[in-house]
Amino acid sequence: MEKSEPLAFLEHDHSQCRQTALKCANNQGLRLTKWRQLVLDLLLEDHRSMGAYEILNRLECNGVKPQPPTAYRALDFLVEHGLAHRIEKLNAYVACARPDACQSAGFIICKECNIVAEVECSPSSPELLRVAANVGFDAESTVMEVEGICSNCQNGN
Amino acid sequence: MEKSEPLAFLEHDHSQCRQTALKCANNQGLRLTKWRQLVLDLLLEDHRSMGAYEILNRLECNGVKPQPPTAYRALDFLVEHGLAHRIEKLNAYVACARPDACQSAGFIICKECNIVAEVECSPSSPELLRVAANVGFDAESTVMEVEGICSNCQNGN
DNA sequence: ACAAATCTGTTATAATGTTACAATCCCGTT
DNA sequence: AACGGGATTGTAACATTATAACAGATTTGT
């Protein structure tokens, strides 16, 4: 598979994605607590994005349903440590597709089926970064998202 | 001035920006109604972004303060017709810096002073678009945003 | 075992955005 | 000028997304 192939659109062994993410989390010595684990599991179900409240509504542990801060804390943690990404356009979250090798990611978002394909790519448009550098701007984070209709949905699937 | 120079960071005659935007709106034959005019005026005050409710709170006409839908309708209209942009990372809006020649814009966002510099640039990272094209994705809109600290704010201004 | 740091539970509230429907205004045609 | 259809606005209620604040519990390093 090519480096920047968007996994989400390809047939693949998705359980591998989950394995990789978990392994990666452990290797980093992160504290994957109960809620973080559960949230990550939900996100790792597939390559769709989930809103915080969709996650919250499905979160549950021994019959206990947590409050919003619990979901947001877990999400913040996962995003901060590169196990998940926030999709700004959707106010939603996806599991990182390549937590072992994620430097800078862009996202291809299908409006129809909500698949979010992660693409490892250089941060932002080169022009944008060049201009930022020119004016002495200290870039900390970048958002790269393309929204449209995926090939499957164009064909009415 | 170079094509892709970010106006927001440069000394410039800002009244020109407003003139251009208004001229542009009229040339397109758009109906710049009362609220649209007022919202656009607020956005054109400078190159900062404003949240919908910040705009709403400042909106007023003959002592009448409108409700949220009024602000959102005006913003949607302005965005749809290229007179303003939505900044996804901030859930906020800026006036378009070059409404006469805006094809595809990226944004440099300073966390400190909230300046949003618009940069005309090719849409997204080439890799991201190439991958999208490869998988037959029909791209409709792209988000390109870089957040960080501008040169002024780095120097404690 | 202790203190410090981190994480969780809980309540409340803030901020952002939308639905739905009635009333009004604008514009082209009679 | 009167009419009719489409666009715009007024208004109330509500939905969704996110955070503040603080107490209690758990984990970690020493």
Side-chain angles (χ1 to χ4, degrees):
Chain A
M1 192 189 311
E2 192 191 345
K3 164 178 167 289
S4 57
E5 207 68 23
L7 203 47
F9 289 128
L10 304 174
E11 296 286 342
H12 65 285
D13 177 7
H14 188 66
S15 70
Q16 271 297 320
C17 297
R18 185 167 180 281
Q19 295 304 319
T20 306
L22 297 182
K23 200 176 299 173
C24 183
N26 290 323
N27 286 348
Q28 291 184 249
L30 300 179
R31 278 172 71 181
L32 265 201
T33 60
K34 159 177 83 168
W35 297 121
R36 292 169 183 171
Q37 177 73 67
L38 289 169
V39 170
L40 183 56
D41 270 355
L42 285 175
L43 290 177
L44 282 170
E45 281 180 358
D46 57 27
H47 293 285
R48 252 177 237 101
S49 67
M50 299 180 76
Y53 277 73
E54 187 182 349
I55 289 167
L56 183 61
N57 291 333
R58 294 185 54 194
L59 264 187
E60 181 268 318
C61 184
N62 299 332
V64 176
K65 314 276 292 179
Q67 297 293 316
T70 299
Y72 280 103
R73 285 162 180 160
L75 287 167
D76 288 349
F77 177 90
L78 296 173
V79 168
E80 186 171 358
H81 293 89
L83 297 171
H85 301 287
R86 178 177 165 82
I87 307 300
E88 297 295 340
K89 186 98 183 188
L90 303 178
N91 294 337
Y93 301 83
V94 278
C96 179
R98 302 184 166 281
D100 51 341
C102 185
Q103 297 302 316
S104 165
F107 301 92
I108 298 173
I109 305 163
C110 178
K111 285 159 128 172
E112 287 283 333
C113 65
N114 296 306
I115 272 191
V116 173
E118 178 171 344
V119 178
E120 297 303 318
C121 57
S122 58
S124 197
S125 111
E127 283 138 292
L128 186 53
L129 286 184
R130 182 181 60 72
V131 170
N134 275 353
V135 295
F137 187 85
D138 177 23
E140 294 179 2
S141 68
T142 74
V143 179
M144 281 178 291
E145 296 170 1
V146 175
E147 196 177 51
I149 312 284
C150 77
S151 152
N152 260 343
C153 290
Q154 284 168 53
N155 300 327
N157 299 340
Chain B
M1 191 189 310
E2 192 191 344
K3 164 176 167 290
S4 57
E5 206 69 23
L7 203 47
F9 288 128
L10 303 175
E11 297 286 342
H12 65 286
D13 176 7
H14 187 65
S15 69
Q16 270 297 320
C17 297
R18 185 166 180 281
Q19 294 304 320
T20 306
L22 296 182
K23 199 176 300 174
C24 183
N26 290 322
N27 286 348
Q28 291 185 249
L30 300 179
R31 276 173 71 181
L32 264 200
T33 59
K34 159 176 83 169
W35 296 122
R36 292 169 183 171
Q37 177 72 67
L38 288 169
V39 169
L40 183 55
D41 270 356
L42 285 174
L43 289 177
L44 282 170
E45 280 180 359
D46 57 27
H47 294 285
R48 251 177 236 102
S49 68
M50 299 181 76
Y53 276 74
E54 186 182 349
I55 288 168
L56 182 61
N57 290 334
R58 294 185 54 194
L59 263 188
E60 180 269 319
C61 185
N62 299 332
V64 176
K65 313 276 291 179
Q67 297 291 317
T70 298
Y72 281 103
R73 285 163 180 161
L75 287 167
D76 288 350
F77 176 90
L78 295 173
V79 168
E80 186 170 355
H81 293 91
L83 298 171
H85 300 287
R86 178 177 165 83
I87 307 299
E88 296 295 340
K89 186 96 185 192
L90 303 177
N91 293 339
Y93 301 82
V94 278
C96 178
R98 303 185 166 282
D100 50 341
C102 185
Q103 298 300 317
S104 166
F107 300 93
I108 299 173
I109 304 162
C110 178
K111 285 159 128 171
E112 288 283 332
C113 65
N114 295 306
I115 271 190
V116 173
E118 179 171 345
V119 178
E120 297 304 314
C121 57
S122 58
S124 196
S125 108
E127 282 138 293
L128 186 53
L129 286 184
R130 181 180 61 70
V131 171
N134 275 353
V135 295
F137 187 86
D138 176 23
E140 294 179 1
S141 69
T142 73
V143 179
M144 281 179 291
E145 295 170 2
V146 176
E147 196 177 51
I149 312 284
C150 77
S151 151
N152 260 343
C153 291
Q154 284 168 52
N155 300 327
N157 298 339

